[in-house]
PDB file of all heavy atoms in Angstrom:
ATOM      1  N   LEU B  49      24.941  45.411   1.776  1.00  0.00           N
ATOM      2  CA  LEU B  49      24.024  45.267   0.598  1.00  0.00           C
ATOM      3  C   LEU B  49      23.420  43.873   0.606  1.00  0.00           C
ATOM      4  O   LEU B  49      22.939  43.441  -0.402  1.00  0.00           O
ATOM      5  CB  LEU B  49      24.833  45.483  -0.647  1.00  0.00           C
ATOM      6  CG  LEU B  49      25.574  46.869  -0.681  1.00  0.00           C
ATOM      7  CD1 LEU B  49      26.420  46.919  -1.937  1.00  0.00           C
ATOM      8  CD2 LEU B  49      24.530  47.987  -0.717  1.00  0.00           C
ATOM      9  N   TYR B  50      23.400  43.152   1.749  1.00  0.00           N
ATOM     10  CA  TYR B  50      22.798  41.897   1.954  1.00  0.00           C
ATOM     11  C   TYR B  50      23.497  40.737   1.204  1.00  0.00           C
ATOM     12  O   TYR B  50      23.337  39.567   1.567  1.00  0.00           O
ATOM     13  CB  TYR B  50      21.317  41.897   1.644  1.00  0.00           C
ATOM     14  CG  TYR B  50      20.585  42.772   2.591  1.00  0.00           C
ATOM     15  CD1 TYR B  50      20.093  44.014   2.052  1.00  0.00           C
ATOM     16  CD2 TYR B  50      20.445  42.560   3.942  1.00  0.00           C
ATOM     17  CE1 TYR B  50      19.441  44.906   2.918  1.00  0.00           C
ATOM     18  CE2 TYR B  50      19.736  43.389   4.788  1.00  0.00           C
ATOM     19  CZ  TYR B  50      19.283  44.593   4.263  1.00  0.00           C
ATOM     20  OH  TYR B  50      18.640  45.459   5.056  1.00  0.00           O
ATOM     21  N   VAL B  51      24.214  41.053   0.132  1.00  0.00           N
ATOM     22  CA  VAL B  51      24.953  40.032  -0.619  1.00  0.00           C
ATOM     23  C   VAL B  51      26.451  40.224  -0.272  1.00  0.00           C
ATOM     24  O   VAL B  51      27.262  39.344  -0.259  1.00  0.00           O
ATOM     25  CB  VAL B  51      24.658  40.118  -2.090  1.00  0.00           C
ATOM     26  CG1 VAL B  51      25.514  39.118  -2.851  1.00  0.00           C
ATOM     27  CG2 VAL B  51      23.223  39.852  -2.384  1.00  0.00           C
ATOM     28  N   ILE B  52      26.768  41.517  -0.197  1.00  0.00           N
ATOM     29  CA  ILE B  52      28.162  41.816   0.025  1.00  0.00           C
ATOM     30  C   ILE B  52      28.222  42.988   1.062  1.00  0.00           C
ATOM     31  O   ILE B  52      27.341  43.844   1.092  1.00  0.00           O
ATOM     32  CB  ILE B  52      28.884  42.286  -1.245  1.00  0.00           C
ATOM     33  CG1 ILE B  52      30.340  42.406  -1.143  1.00  0.00           C
ATOM     34  CG2 ILE B  52      28.285  43.532  -1.844  1.00  0.00           C
ATOM     35  CD1 ILE B  52      31.128  42.524  -2.460  1.00  0.00           C
ATOM     36  N   GLN B  53      29.212  43.077   1.898  1.00  0.00           N
ATOM     37  CA  GLN B  53      29.356  44.072   2.881  1.00  0.00           C
ATOM     38  C   GLN B  53      30.637  44.857   2.464  1.00  0.00           C
ATOM     39  O   GLN B  53      31.707  44.269   2.339  1.00  0.00           O
ATOM     40  CB  GLN B  53      29.479  43.566   4.246  1.00  0.00           C
ATOM     41  CG  GLN B  53      29.532  44.565   5.309  1.00  0.00           C
ATOM     42  CD  GLN B  53      29.435  44.011   6.703  1.00  0.00           C
ATOM     43  OE1 GLN B  53      29.332  42.781   6.883  1.00  0.00           O
ATOM     44  NE2 GLN B  53      29.602  44.858   7.691  1.00  0.00           N
ATOM     45  N   LEU B  54      30.479  46.140   2.284  1.00  0.00           N
ATOM     46  CA  LEU B  54      31.540  46.974   1.822  1.00  0.00           C
ATOM     47  C   LEU B  54      31.858  48.027   2.926  1.00  0.00           C
ATOM     48  O   LEU B  54      30.982  48.716   3.387  1.00  0.00           O
ATOM     49  CB  LEU B  54      31.125  47.695   0.492  1.00  0.00           C
ATOM     50  CG  LEU B  54      32.098  48.614  -0.173  1.00  0.00           C
ATOM     51  CD1 LEU B  54      33.282  47.768  -0.673  1.00  0.00           C
ATOM     52  CD2 LEU B  54      31.406  49.257  -1.292  1.00  0.00           C
ATOM     53  N   THR B  55      33.167  48.110   3.228  1.00  0.00           N
ATOM     54  CA  THR B  55      33.646  49.056   4.266  1.00  0.00           C
ATOM     55  C   THR B  55      34.648  50.014   3.549  1.00  0.00           C
ATOM     56  O   THR B  55      35.661  49.552   2.988  1.00  0.00           O
ATOM     57  CB  THR B  55      34.310  48.414   5.475  1.00  0.00           C
ATOM     58  OG1 THR B  55      33.335  47.456   6.004  1.00  0.00           O
ATOM     59  CG2 THR B  55      34.744  49.362   6.454  1.00  0.00           C
ATOM     60  N   LEU B  56      34.356  51.314   3.621  1.00  0.00           N
ATOM     61  CA  LEU B  56      35.293  52.306   3.020  1.00  0.00           C
ATOM     62  C   LEU B  56      35.747  53.300   4.118  1.00  0.00           C
ATOM     63  O   LEU B  56      34.955  53.781   4.959  1.00  0.00           O
ATOM     64  CB  LEU B  56      34.559  53.067   1.923  1.00  0.00           C
ATOM     65  CG  LEU B  56      34.020  52.234   0.735  1.00  0.00           C
ATOM     66  CD1 LEU B  56      33.242  53.139  -0.131  1.00  0.00           C
ATOM     67  CD2 LEU B  56      35.131  51.640  -0.019  1.00  0.00           C
ATOM     68  N   GLY B  57      36.996  53.652   3.999  1.00  0.00           N
ATOM     69  CA  GLY B  57      37.543  54.712   4.900  1.00  0.00           C
ATOM     70  C   GLY B  57      38.877  55.150   4.318  1.00  0.00           C
ATOM     71  O   GLY B  57      39.462  54.529   3.438  1.00  0.00           O
ATOM     72  N   LEU B  58      39.353  56.276   4.812  1.00  0.00           N
ATOM     73  CA  LEU B  58      40.599  56.833   4.332  1.00  0.00           C
ATOM     74  C   LEU B  58      41.308  57.644   5.441  1.00  0.00           C
ATOM     75  O   LEU B  58      40.684  58.337   6.144  1.00  0.00           O
ATOM     76  CB  LEU B  58      40.303  57.785   3.117  1.00  0.00           C
ATOM     77  CG  LEU B  58      41.474  58.416   2.402  1.00  0.00           C
ATOM     78  CD1 LEU B  58      42.282  57.338   1.721  1.00  0.00           C
ATOM     79  CD2 LEU B  58      40.996  59.407   1.437  1.00  0.00           C
ATOM     80  N   ALA B  59      42.625  57.373   5.458  1.00  0.00           N
ATOM     81  CA  ALA B  59      43.467  58.097   6.421  1.00  0.00           C
ATOM     82  C   ALA B  59      44.753  58.489   5.759  1.00  0.00           C
ATOM     83  O   ALA B  59      45.302  57.746   5.020  1.00  0.00           O
ATOM     84  CB  ALA B  59      43.741  57.222   7.638  1.00  0.00           C
ATOM     85  N   PHE B  60      45.183  59.741   6.057  1.00  0.00           N
ATOM     86  CA  PHE B  60      46.449  60.215   5.477  1.00  0.00           C
ATOM     87  C   PHE B  60      47.265  60.674   6.672  1.00  0.00           C
ATOM     88  O   PHE B  60      46.982  61.677   7.324  1.00  0.00           O
ATOM     89  CB  PHE B  60      46.147  61.374   4.555  1.00  0.00           C
ATOM     90  CG  PHE B  60      47.498  61.912   3.902  1.00  0.00           C
ATOM     91  CD1 PHE B  60      48.304  61.139   3.116  1.00  0.00           C
ATOM     92  CD2 PHE B  60      47.846  63.223   4.076  1.00  0.00           C
ATOM     93  CE1 PHE B  60      49.407  61.629   2.576  1.00  0.00           C
ATOM     94  CE2 PHE B  60      48.989  63.773   3.557  1.00  0.00           C
ATOM     95  CZ  PHE B  60      49.809  62.952   2.812  1.00  0.00           C
ATOM     96  N   ALA B  61      48.323  59.947   7.031  1.00  0.00           N
ATOM     97  CA  ALA B  61      49.191  60.219   8.131  1.00  0.00           C
ATOM     98  C   ALA B  61      50.617  60.063   7.718  1.00  0.00           C
ATOM     99  O   ALA B  61      51.260  58.998   8.044  1.00  0.00           O
ATOM    100  CB  ALA B  61      48.844  59.325   9.351  1.00  0.00           C
ATOM    101  N   PRO B  62      51.199  61.028   7.052  1.00  0.00           N
ATOM    102  CA  PRO B  62      52.616  60.853   6.597  1.00  0.00           C
ATOM    103  C   PRO B  62      53.627  61.092   7.697  1.00  0.00           C
ATOM    104  O   PRO B  62      53.301  61.636   8.727  1.00  0.00           O
ATOM    105  CB  PRO B  62      52.720  61.938   5.520  1.00  0.00           C
ATOM    106  CG  PRO B  62      51.796  63.033   5.999  1.00  0.00           C
ATOM    107  CD  PRO B  62      50.627  62.277   6.613  1.00  0.00           C
ATOM    108  N   ASN B  63      54.829  60.615   7.474  1.00  0.00           N
ATOM    109  CA  ASN B  63      55.957  60.961   8.316  1.00  0.00           C
ATOM    110  C   ASN B  63      56.895  61.837   7.527  1.00  0.00           C
ATOM    111  O   ASN B  63      56.662  62.014   6.345  1.00  0.00           O
ATOM    112  CB  ASN B  63      56.610  59.710   8.909  1.00  0.00           C
ATOM    113  CG  ASN B  63      57.101  58.771   7.897  1.00  0.00           C
ATOM    114  OD1 ASN B  63      57.427  59.138   6.749  1.00  0.00           O
ATOM    115  ND2 ASN B  63      57.141  57.528   8.234  1.00  0.00           N
ATOM    116  N   LEU B  64      57.879  62.299   8.129  1.00  0.00           N
ATOM    117  CA  LEU B  64      58.852  63.252   7.468  1.00  0.00           C
ATOM    118  C   LEU B  64      59.571  62.531   6.339  1.00  0.00           C
ATOM    119  O   LEU B  64      59.874  63.176   5.314  1.00  0.00           O
ATOM    120  CB  LEU B  64      59.834  63.833   8.414  1.00  0.00           C
ATOM    121  CG  LEU B  64      59.189  64.926   9.333  1.00  0.00           C
ATOM    122  CD1 LEU B  64      60.231  65.406  10.326  1.00  0.00           C
ATOM    123  CD2 LEU B  64      58.580  66.045   8.608  1.00  0.00           C
ATOM    124  N   MET B  65      59.867  61.251   6.474  1.00  0.00           N
ATOM    125  CA  MET B  65      60.575  60.514   5.414  1.00  0.00           C
ATOM    126  C   MET B  65      59.619  60.370   4.192  1.00  0.00           C
ATOM    127  O   MET B  65      60.081  60.501   3.052  1.00  0.00           O
ATOM    128  CB  MET B  65      61.033  59.144   5.870  1.00  0.00           C
ATOM    129  CG  MET B  65      62.131  59.215   6.861  1.00  0.00           C
ATOM    130  SD  MET B  65      63.678  59.835   6.185  1.00  0.00           S
ATOM    131  CE  MET B  65      64.149  58.629   4.980  1.00  0.00           C
ATOM    132  N   SER B  66      58.339  60.231   4.402  1.00  0.00           N
ATOM    133  CA  SER B  66      57.355  60.186   3.246  1.00  0.00           C
ATOM    134  C   SER B  66      57.307  61.532   2.606  1.00  0.00           C
ATOM    135  O   SER B  66      57.233  61.640   1.372  1.00  0.00           O
ATOM    136  CB  SER B  66      55.998  59.778   3.765  1.00  0.00           C
ATOM    137  OG  SER B  66      55.936  58.506   4.226  1.00  0.00           O
ATOM    138  N   ILE B  67      57.318  62.605   3.390  1.00  0.00           N
ATOM    139  CA  ILE B  67      57.289  63.896   2.724  1.00  0.00           C
ATOM    140  C   ILE B  67      58.558  64.216   1.936  1.00  0.00           C
ATOM    141  O   ILE B  67      58.491  64.753   0.867  1.00  0.00           O
ATOM    142  CB  ILE B  67      57.085  64.964   3.882  1.00  0.00           C
ATOM    143  CG1 ILE B  67      55.666  64.866   4.437  1.00  0.00           C
ATOM    144  CG2 ILE B  67      57.261  66.398   3.305  1.00  0.00           C
ATOM    145  CD1 ILE B  67      55.406  65.672   5.690  1.00  0.00           C
ATOM    146  N   LEU B  68      59.725  63.758   2.480  1.00  0.00           N
ATOM    147  CA  LEU B  68      60.966  63.900   1.734  1.00  0.00           C
ATOM    148  C   LEU B  68      60.854  63.071   0.414  1.00  0.00           C
ATOM    149  O   LEU B  68      61.340  63.492  -0.661  1.00  0.00           O
ATOM    150  CB  LEU B  68      62.185  63.404   2.577  1.00  0.00           C
ATOM    151  CG  LEU B  68      62.492  64.376   3.706  1.00  0.00           C
ATOM    152  CD1 LEU B  68      63.636  63.724   4.533  1.00  0.00           C
ATOM    153  CD2 LEU B  68      62.991  65.698   3.156  1.00  0.00           C
ATOM    154  N   GLY B  69      60.190  61.895   0.494  1.00  0.00           N
ATOM    155  CA  GLY B  69      60.033  61.079  -0.751  1.00  0.00           C
ATOM    156  C   GLY B  69      59.139  61.762  -1.722  1.00  0.00           C
ATOM    157  O   GLY B  69      59.380  61.687  -2.951  1.00  0.00           O
ATOM    158  N   ILE B  70      58.089  62.469  -1.240  1.00  0.00           N
ATOM    159  CA  ILE B  70      57.181  63.184  -2.150  1.00  0.00           C
ATOM    160  C   ILE B  70      57.975  64.347  -2.821  1.00  0.00           C
ATOM    161  O   ILE B  70      57.821  64.549  -4.004  1.00  0.00           O
ATOM    162  CB  ILE B  70      55.960  63.725  -1.358  1.00  0.00           C
ATOM    163  CG1 ILE B  70      55.083  62.540  -0.910  1.00  0.00           C
ATOM    164  CG2 ILE B  70      55.205  64.725  -2.126  1.00  0.00           C
ATOM    165  CD1 ILE B  70      53.988  62.909   0.093  1.00  0.00           C
TER     166      ILE B  70
END
Side-chain angles (χ1 to χ4, degrees):
L49 304 175
Y50 298 107
V51 176
I52 191 169
Q53 186 173 354
L54 182 65
T55 303
L56 300 172
L58 183 65
F60 181 63
N63 58 27
L64 289 178
M65 288 298 291
S66 293
I67 293 171
L68 290 174
I70 291 171

